[in-house]
Amino acid sequence: GENFSVGRSAVKISVDLLSNPLCEQDQALLDSMTALDTAMRRMDAFNQEKVNQIQKTVIDPLKKYSSVFPSLNMAVKRREQALQDYKRLQSKVEKYEEKEKTGPMVVKLHQAREELRPVKEDFEAKNKQLLEEMPKFYSSRIDYFQPSFEALIRAQVVYFTEMHKIFSELTEQIDQARLTDPERERENEARLNELRALSIVADD
């Protein structure tokens, strides 16, 4: 967002400068301001392109990847729930096993064991699945993000290469629009003298 607003601010500044009355009086200044305005608009366009690229290649894939987490968290929760059921029925079986083996108690023990078997199998299946998925999930992160990081670097390189080009061309255009160095120095000196003449503080 920050780069985006910087580009927009630069365009606004160049528009304000172009509409300054001074530009109407000075052709060289007008040419320089027009070159600046064009450069700022190009900069803004490349900036928006970079923002869009980063959105598509980095932000969106990140959001998509993080949406995988809920399913993994869900699998962890389901395993946890299955473990609680398994422990509860296991302790019930153990309790009956410790009791005296009367007819009714043997029936209860048999029922508890029958009840425990599918719950134990369910827990073991969920546990196995999670143990297999976790490493796959974590190792997939690198493969998944590698293209995103590469795209991010490419977007930055393209952007800064273009910025360098825009400002190099702008410098050339402004230099052409302006005077040669000796003329520029003479002009600056004349303006400084005018300012000194206006100055309230007299030179020693």
Side-chain angles (χ1 to χ4, degrees):
E2 197 177 307
N3 281 342
F4 204 64
S5 57
V6 168
R8 285 289 154 87
S9 302
V11 169
K12 188 183 180 311
I13 290 166
S14 63
V15 168
D16 290 348
L17 286 169
L18 264 178
S19 58
N20 190 302
L22 277 174
C23 283
E24 291 168 27
Q25 299 155 23
D26 187 338
Q27 185 57 45
L29 182 61
L30 179 63
D31 291 345
S32 296
M33 288 304 107
T34 305
L36 176 69
D37 184 55
T38 306
M40 292 302 108
R41 286 176 191 280
R42 282 175 67 198
M43 187 179 94
D44 189 42
F46 277 113
N47 197 38
Q48 286 178 49
E49 178 57 28
K50 184 186 73 164
V51 169
N52 294 340
Q53 278 291 102
I54 291 170
Q55 181 70 39
K56 276 196 303 222
T57 56
V58 182
I59 313 290
D60 292 345
L62 269 170
K63 283 182 187 164
K64 200 173 167 192
Y65 191 79
S66 63
S67 72
V68 173
F69 278 95
S71 62
L72 190 75
N73 290 340
M74 207 63 197
V76 173
K77 281 194 183 118
R78 279 199 292 264
R79 176 209 174 268
E80 196 53 40
Q81 186 56 54
L83 178 62
Q84 295 307 319
D85 295 344
Y86 173 44
K87 279 182 176 173
R88 185 173 50 79
L89 288 170
Q90 179 65 38
S91 64
K92 194 173 167 185
V93 167
E94 284 166 7
K95 195 174 76 182
Y96 288 146
E97 279 174 342
E98 285 163 15
K99 298 242 169 121
E100 200 184 331
K101 303 285 186 289
T102 60
M105 198 48 68
V106 169
V107 172
K108 279 183 181 175
L109 176 61
H110 178 71
Q111 282 173 341
R113 278 180 181 157
E114 285 300 304
E115 211 182 329
L116 175 67
R117 194 186 310 118
V119 173
K120 184 185 176 194
E121 283 168 7
D122 181 50
F123 164 71
E124 283 172 352
K126 284 189 170 74
N127 194 47
K128 183 168 176 278
Q129 187 188 5
L130 199 61
L131 288 174
E132 283 170 3
E133 278 180 17
M134 285 292 238
K136 277 187 214 160
F137 178 76
Y138 285 113
S139 65
S140 75
R141 288 183 308 175
I142 296 156
D143 298 337
Y144 187 85
F145 287 124
Q146 186 77 22
S148 283
F149 289 136
E150 284 172 8
L152 177 63
I153 292 162
R154 269 200 302 274
Q156 297 282 25
V157 168
V158 167
Y159 175 73
F160 288 112
T161 305
E162 288 302 331
M163 288 309 102
H164 182 263
K165 208 158 80 182
I166 288 168
F167 285 107
S168 298
E169 286 170 16
L170 178 63
T171 307
E172 276 175 35
Q173 285 170 311
I174 288 176
D175 281 349
Q176 280 167 8
R178 299 306 303 160
L179 309 162
T180 60
D181 282 345
E183 285 173 334
R184 188 186 289 124
E185 277 169 31
R186 276 202 296 277
E187 181 121 329
N188 287 344
E189 193 57 41
R191 286 194 179 148
L192 282 172
N193 286 333
E194 283 171 29
L195 286 172
R196 284 197 196 101
L198 291 170
S199 177
I200 298 163
V201 183
D203 285 339
D204 291 338

